[in-house]
Amino acid sequence: MATDPGYTCSRCGEHHTELPMGYSTMAPDVWDGSLESDPDSMLSTDQCIVRHEHYFIKGLIEIPVADSHEPFSWGVWVSLSRENFGRALDVWETPGRESEQPYFGWLTTELGLYSPVRPTSGPTRTPARSAGARSSSWSPPIIRWPWSSATASRSTGYGR
């Protein structure tokens, strides 16, 4: 008996027959539903602030897949300093943002398919290529910006 390797997409609700090329989380591991009513906290699809003390952005860890033009992607959350979070918002939709210097950040998403592991050093976050930018040769997986963001702005609660 053959098993369907497909999946039902949480975004579109449709069943796809191919294997999924990515998984994502809705919030950083430190987010708690009780924070929804906290005026100093906010969660959007790609930004999070906890009690105006902790700042997070969502990005992608892209892993090349042999014989595929599409990488496997983990949608993960990375903590940033308040300063770097502010800078990330300033350039969020700016063409050419891939030339930004990397920001230091801690991975704050547990990848459930792997043994629970906490990093011993923080990864860096690199802005994704803007539309039309060409990829250079392969490099180790890095955390990239979300593919789009309609929610990115100072109105998200940063700096209240």
Side-chain angles (χ1 to χ4, degrees):
M1 173 188 264
T3 303
D4 178 7
Y7 65 100
T8 301
C9 179
S10 62
R11 282 194 163 169
C12 70
E14 293 184 24
H15 182 79
H16 300 272
T17 57
E18 67 275 0
L19 290 171
M21 290 302 287
Y23 292 101
S24 187
T25 59
M26 301 298 289
D29 286 351
V30 299
W31 181 260
D32 181 292
S34 68
L35 294 168
E36 291 176 11
S37 60
D38 181 346
D40 292 329
S41 300
M42 62 76 63
L43 175 65
S44 71
T45 57
D46 46 23
Q47 300 167 12
C48 180
I49 299 172
V50 175
R51 298 186 183 105
H52 273 280
E53 295 177 25
H54 307 284
Y55 303 87
F56 307 90
I57 62 170
K58 190 173 187 179
L60 298 174
I61 298 175
E62 295 180 326
I63 303 169
V65 176
D67 300 323
S68 175
H69 66 280
E70 183 180 0
F72 179 85
S73 299
W74 283 106
V76 298
W77 291 85
V78 175
S79 68
L80 295 180
S81 69
R82 180 181 175 98
E83 178 182 307
N84 284 341
F85 184 82
R87 177 64 187 159
L89 292 183
D90 287 343
V91 300
W92 196 264
E93 295 187 30
T94 302
R97 67 183 176 268
E98 67 275 0
S99 63
E100 265 297 282
Q101 291 295 313
Y103 309 133
F104 177 86
W106 289 101
L107 181 65
T108 59
T109 300
E110 193 73 49
L111 302 177
L113 297 175
Y114 301 100
S115 300
V117 174
R118 295 289 178 204
T120 56
S121 64
T124 57
R125 197 261 336 131
T126 302
R129 296 177 301 276
S130 58
R134 292 209 173 276
S135 173
S136 58
S137 61
W138 180 85
S139 59
I142 58 174
I143 299 172
R144 297 193 179 277
W145 284 86
W147 43 94
S148 67
S149 173
T151 60
S153 73
R154 292 268 180 199
S155 65
T156 59
Y158 170 75
R160 279 192 280 177

